[in-house]
Amino acid sequence: MTKPTPRNSGLYYYGTKDDLRLGDRIASRRLFRSPLYGTICYIPGISPKHSELGDDQWAFRTDDGAIYGAAYDRKYGQPGKGLILLSRGEGESLSPDEPLESDDHDVPSVASSGLFYRGTTTEVMLGDHVTVKRWFFSTPITGTVTHIPGLSPKNLEHDHAKMSEWVISLDDSSEWRYEYHPRRQDPGKNITFIRRASGV
């Protein structure tokens, strides 16, 4: 008897037509650290609704039992290159009331912003330290990337029905906002990447 096709999550492994499914065996690459290996255990609309993850995050369970969530947004939250499908499987969904606990604070980058600093292959990520030059003759101001649609929790100030913004919070307490158009927009020449939040 032919098994029914699983419901489509609307998320796809980077550069493929393979959709994320419950039970998928995956590897999540981390900068300068060994990959995490685990299984997709929660997808909104497919799994029973979890009390903490809700409709905004999907999740995977690592081999040591830790659970990592990532923003669930079919339009802006597609997985990045760091998430790799190893094999299909038939894992169980996360229990709706299972607590989320992890002592590893180096959360892997499983989603992609779709933005790259101009003239580079460096992807814009939350927590990036950058400089912004407001005007041609002005002195660059340092700041931090604090909001990216699909990666950050939804914010009504920046995420609107017709237009969303990604945001740099500057050290002078002001904000630099840009319309978010992943994969067809490069940040301007006035933005310079310094380092990741991890110091890299």
Side-chain angles (χ1 to χ4, degrees):
M1 183 176 178
T2 303
K3 293 184 179 180
T5 302
R7 289 176 57 188
N8 193 303
S9 65
L11 301 178
Y12 296 87
Y13 294 98
Y14 189 92
T16 77
K17 295 182 179 179
D18 298 322
D19 58 308
L20 268 70
R21 299 179 186 176
L22 286 174
D24 281 357
R25 179 74 178 161
I26 58 96
S28 180
R29 294 183 299 193
R30 300 181 293 176
L31 195 65
F32 302 130
R33 298 185 65 181
S34 58
L36 290 174
Y37 294 94
T39 304
I40 304 294
C41 63
Y42 183 79
I43 300 175
I46 297 176
S47 305
K49 189 170 183 177
H50 189 269
S51 56
E52 294 184 57
L53 296 170
D55 297 323
D56 299 323
Q57 298 182 76
W58 62 272
F60 66 93
R61 187 195 304 273
T62 58
D63 291 347
D64 63 2
I67 297 171
Y68 291 95
Y72 180 71
D73 189 310
R74 296 182 179 211
K75 185 175 182 180
Y76 297 127
Q78 292 296 323
K81 295 179 181 179
L83 190 73
I84 302 170
L85 173 65
L86 301 177
S87 63
R88 296 294 194 187
E90 295 185 1
E92 295 183 358
S93 288
L94 195 64
S95 171
D97 297 316
E98 183 172 344
L100 306 182
E101 296 181 359
S102 172
D103 57 2
D104 187 342
H105 298 291
D106 181 19
V107 180
S109 177
V110 295
S112 170
S113 70
L115 300 173
F116 296 85
Y117 294 102
R118 179 165 291 189
T120 76
T121 57
T122 303
E123 186 173 5
V124 178
M125 297 298 294
L126 285 170
D128 282 357
H129 295 272
V130 300
T131 61
V132 176
K133 195 170 185 179
R134 286 175 166 144
W135 313 108
F136 184 77
F137 293 107
S138 64
T139 301
I141 301 175
T142 56
T144 305
V145 177
T146 53
H147 184 83
I148 300 176
L151 301 185
S152 304
K154 190 161 289 186
N155 184 320
L156 295 179
E157 185 177 356
H158 306 305
D159 302 313
H160 315 288
K162 295 183 179 180
M163 185 270 290
S164 293
E165 302 170 322
W166 66 279
V167 181
I168 298 172
S169 295
L170 300 176
D171 291 351
D172 64 359
S173 299
S174 64
E175 288 186 336
W176 202 252
R177 305 183 183 190
Y178 297 84
E179 285 191 34
Y180 181 64
H181 300 292
R183 306 195 193 285
R184 61 184 180 87
Q185 174 202 41
D186 288 323
K189 292 186 292 185
N190 63 320
I191 301 175
T192 302
F193 172 73
I194 302 175
R195 61 181 173 84
R196 299 292 191 201
S198 61
V200 178

